[in-house]
Amino acid sequence: MIIMIKILGIDDFSEIYNKRLVNDFPESEVKSLKKIIDMYKKDMYFVYGYYNENGELSGYAFFINDRTKDTVLLDYFAIVPEKRSSGIGSEFLGKIKEKIADSGNRLILEVENPEYAEDGPAKDYMIKRIGFYKKNDMNLSGVSCNFYDNEYRILYAGEFMDDEEVYNRTHSVYLDFMGEELDSRCVFH
């Protein structure tokens, strides 16, 4: 099976946002499409689609660039439901990590922090997501934050980064994306 990554323009990623992303992520985590488009136009946001040989979407990844363009935050990452648990997620993430590293950037991402969840299916899913990323050679840092009332842990790809560097890179990406609003919306701990 031939799979390819395509960088997507506004029309394509807007369709994915409206048909998939808003259903694949909790409402409290979904940024407005207007904000994403505004940041895309400023070269601070980009989106990859992962397509099979028939041109069918297998997965997608939305990213935020920081102002220096040396850190990229994986904002949303999902495989379409009918393709999950087939290895495509690991394959896509591996290709993303290669592309980001080849461009000279560091990849970071946030995952829901299970330490703040009640026992049950939601917490189990959070633990499973962290396990997926760790299995795919993402490093779990000691940095966590409350961002828009959601608790996150920060992971990163590549060579070791101490927590101060992870914090600085994450804060830089958030600050560029949110501007002055960041201080009232994000608390690192």
Side-chain angles (χ1 to χ4, degrees):
M1 174 174 22
I2 299 170
I3 301 279
M4 70 174 181
I5 294 178
K6 290 181 7 184
I7 191 144
L8 303 181
I10 292 172
D11 290 343
D12 290 332
F13 75 68
S14 294
E15 182 177 343
I16 290 170
Y17 178 97
N18 289 317
K19 289 184 176 177
R20 301 232 180 233
L21 191 146
V22 296
N23 297 309
D24 290 337
F25 292 88
E27 184 179 348
S28 64
E29 293 183 19
V30 176
K31 295 169 182 68
S32 76
L33 180 58
K34 180 187 181 319
K35 178 73 172 176
I36 290 171
I37 290 171
D38 288 347
M39 298 311 281
Y40 173 85
K41 289 178 179 178
K42 294 177 183 174
D43 196 31
M44 295 178 67
Y45 211 94
F46 65 98
V47 180
Y48 289 151
Y50 202 46
Y51 294 87
N52 69 16
E53 66 272 9
N54 298 324
E56 298 166 332
L57 183 70
S58 295
Y60 60 86
F62 284 54
F63 301 89
I64 303 172
N65 280 322
D66 80 347
R67 70 180 154 269
T68 61
K69 303 291 190 270
D70 70 350
T71 304
V72 175
L73 178 120
L74 178 54
D75 201 18
Y76 302 104
F77 177 78
I79 302 302
V80 298
E82 57 274 12
K83 308 255 185 199
R84 291 181 186 155
S85 299
S86 68
I88 288 177
S90 293
E91 183 179 286
F92 186 22
L93 183 60
K95 291 182 184 297
I96 287 169
K97 288 169 33 184
E98 285 177 27
K99 285 176 110 25
I100 300 300
D102 289 349
S103 69
N105 293 313
R106 295 298 302 261
L107 178 66
I108 60 174
L109 63 92
E110 53 200 16
V111 293
E112 292 170 300
N113 190 342
E115 294 173 22
Y116 291 86
E118 293 181 22
D119 288 339
K123 183 174 185 169
D124 294 344
Y125 185 70
M126 291 174 194
I127 293 167
K128 182 179 176 182
R129 283 184 63 210
I130 290 172
F132 166 79
Y133 287 116
K134 288 173 71 174
K135 175 184 85 168
N136 286 285
D137 297 322
M138 296 295 294
N139 303 294
L140 185 63
S141 76
V143 178
S144 59
C145 67
N146 181 296
F147 189 55
Y148 278 90
D149 296 324
N150 294 294
E151 289 289 341
Y152 295 108
R153 293 289 306 269
I154 309 300
L155 291 94
Y156 64 92
E159 296 179 15
F160 175 78
M161 285 193 283
D162 64 27
D163 287 347
E164 183 176 356
E165 183 177 358
V166 173
Y167 162 80
N168 288 333
R169 287 177 180 272
T170 306
H171 186 266
S172 177
V173 171
Y174 285 176
L175 185 60
D176 280 350
F177 194 80
M178 299 304 301
E180 293 178 14
E181 186 182 345
L182 176 68
D183 290 335
S184 66
R185 296 295 193 164
C186 182
V187 176
F188 285 90
H189 46 85

